């Protein structure tokens, strides 16, 4: 048990960072965006769209979060690109889909999203669960997805302390992870204007949203891509926190060796560097998008 103590300390620090980032406000006099609602394969998704340009950056958040996870990053790219961030099905204010809640089901929803709601070349930007989904889109649509930014993506597994050998989250992880619903806000009136929405459905541990997020952890395979990362031939910016307790840095190193064309950026950070060191992440993204070069191997 003693050997696990440092990892639990890191997880505690991560929770503290979430509280800081989650409840932090951007303190603007006027919000920058209006929320809109997109229908994707029968599911209503909350979305934010902005920017201009020929290429669209699609931002996909991690488990237990919402499109607000990108509010420290998204606006930095709206001058040169179209940007689109969504609440994934079952998260934030998006609709709760009928099952299954598998990796394959999420890929089908995102396939419908890019077919109906985007045009032209795409850059997929994803974190954790959203990073796995972003990688899946790049694998499935090489003709549309020209590059990927993956921040501590799942797909090759998560911490052995959090999952079984099949890549499914453990029961204890399912309970702890569902508690994120009470830590991370889904509204930010300083950044996003929304119609009045009754969010009481999220107010109890047996709410439909919390139940859905637990089912996702019971069914979603966080190791579904595995060695298929080697088939992702588009340029990839891979960003990872060296102290990540959720998807350990060693998994990031393994994914980096599989990717044919990648720029690997280790950071002094935990699991969410785009929220804790957004200036650094934004600078790396800008440099990569200007010149999507591969690291020498």
């Amino acid at each position: 048990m003693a050997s696990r103590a440092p990892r639990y300390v890191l997880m505690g620090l991560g929770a503290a960072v979430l509280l800081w980032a989650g409840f932090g406000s951007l303190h603007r006099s006027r919000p920058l965006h209006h929320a809109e609602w997109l229908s994707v394969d029968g599911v209503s998704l909350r979305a934010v769209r902005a920017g201009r340009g020929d290429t669209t950056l699609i931002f996909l958040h991690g488990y237990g979060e919402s499109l607000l996870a990108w509010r420290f990053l998204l606006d930095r790219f709206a001058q040169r690109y179209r940007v689109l961030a969504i609440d994934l099905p079952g998260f934030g204010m998006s609709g709760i889909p009928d099952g299954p809640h598998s990796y394959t089901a999420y890929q089908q929803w995102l396939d419908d999203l890019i077919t109906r709601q985007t045009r032209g070349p795409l850059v997929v930007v994803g974190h954790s669960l959203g990073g796995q989904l972003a990688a899946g889109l790049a694998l499935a649509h090489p003709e549309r997805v020209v590059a990927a930014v993956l921040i501590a993506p799942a797909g090759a597994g998560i911490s052995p302390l959090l999952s079984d050998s099949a890549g499914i989250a453990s029961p204890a992880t399912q309970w702890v992870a569902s508690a994120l619903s009470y830590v991370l806000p889904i509204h930010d009136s300083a950044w996003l204007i929304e119609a009045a929405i009754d969010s009481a459905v999220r107010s109890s541990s047996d709410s439909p949203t919390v139940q859905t997020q637990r089912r996702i952890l019971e069914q979603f395979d966080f190791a579904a891509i595995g060695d298929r990362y080697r088939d992702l031939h588009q340029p990839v910016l891979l960003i990872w926190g060296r102290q990540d307790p959720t998807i350990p840095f060693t998994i990031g190193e393994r994914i980096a060796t599989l990717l044919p064309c990648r720029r690997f950026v280790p950071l002094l950070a935990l699991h969410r560097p785009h929220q804790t060191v957004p200036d650094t992440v934004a600078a790396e993204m800008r440099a990569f998008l200007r010149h999507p070069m591969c690291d020498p191997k």
Side-chain angles (χ1 to χ4, degrees), residues 23 30 38 46 61 76 137 152 166 184 200 204-205 240 258 268:
F23 291 109
R30 297 181 61 187
L38 309 177
R46 183 177 64 163
H61 63 79
R76 305 173 193 236
L137 280 177
L184 299 173
S204 67
S205 60
W240 221 288
L258 293 171
L268 185 64

Side-chain angles (χ1 to χ4, degrees), residues 32-272:
L32 290 178
H33 304 289
H34 285 78
E36 60 178 288
W37 295 87
L38 309 177
S39 179
V40 174
D41 198 17
V43 181
S44 181
L45 306 184
R46 183 177 64 163
V48 167
R49 286 201 258 207
R52 57 182 180 268
D54 297 327
T55 301
T56 299
L57 273 58
I58 298 181
F59 291 82
L60 304 175
H61 63 79
Y63 177 85
E65 302 194 53
S66 72
L67 59 81
L68 293 191
W70 302 108
R71 70 193 190 280
F72 301 116
L73 203 63
L74 182 143
D75 298 313
R76 305 173 193 236
F77 297 93
Q79 291 297 317
R80 299 190 60 179
Y81 306 95
R82 290 194 296 271
V83 295
L84 169 63
I86 64 166
D87 287 345
L88 290 167
F91 297 99
M93 292 305 301
S94 285
I96 297 174
D98 297 328
H101 301 85
S102 63
Y103 168 72
T104 300
Y106 273 81
Q107 285 300 130
Q108 291 172 348
W109 286 316
L110 292 176
D111 286 347
D112 192 68
L113 173 75
I114 67 171
T115 299
R116 295 174 180 268
Q117 301 294 340
T118 68
R119 66 182 188 275
L122 304 173
V123 175
V124 288
V125 184
H127 165 246
S128 197
L129 177 147
Q132 176 177 344
L133 295 172
L137 280 177
L139 287 167
H141 300 278
E143 76 289 351
R144 293 280 317 273
V145 178
V146 298
V149 178
L150 306 180
I151 303 173
I158 57 179
S159 169
L161 296 178
L162 305 177
S163 66
D164 61 23
S165 59
I168 303 298
S170 68
T173 301
Q174 294 168 23
W175 183 88
V176 172
S178 64
L180 287 172
S181 299
Y182 307 103
V183 175
L184 299 173
I186 59 172
H187 304 292
D188 182 354
S189 59
W191 185 69
L192 183 64
I193 298 174
E194 302 179 78
I197 297 173
D198 181 7
S199 59
V201 294
R202 296 169 53 91
S203 64
S204 67
S205 60
D206 60 350
S207 72
T209 299
V210 172
Q211 291 179 26
T212 298
Q213 292 187 13
R214 287 177 180 161
R215 284 196 294 271
I216 292 167
L217 286 180
E218 292 169 357
Q219 299 175 23
F220 195 94
D221 181 0
F222 289 94
I225 295 180
D227 287 348
R228 290 189 63 219
Y229 273 108
R230 64 164 52 100
D231 299 323
L232 208 165
H233 293 283
Q234 298 95 321
V236 175
L237 173 61
L238 184 65
I239 298 175
W240 221 288
R242 288 187 179 273
Q243 291 75 34
D244 191 331
T246 304
I247 308 182
F249 185 70
T250 53
I251 292 180
E253 291 178 309
R254 177 172 176 269
I255 291 175
T257 65
L258 293 171
L259 291 168
C261 177
R262 50 79 173 147
R263 181 153 188 257
F264 187 31
V265 179
L267 296 176
L268 185 64
L270 298 173
H271 188 52
R272 293 170 173 81

Side-chain angles (χ1 to χ4, degrees), residues 18-37:
L18 280 178
L19 285 167
W20 173 81
F23 291 109
S25 171
L26 299 186
H27 301 297
R28 292 193 177 92
S29 58
R30 297 181 61 187
L32 290 178
H33 304 289
H34 285 78
E36 60 178 288
W37 295 87

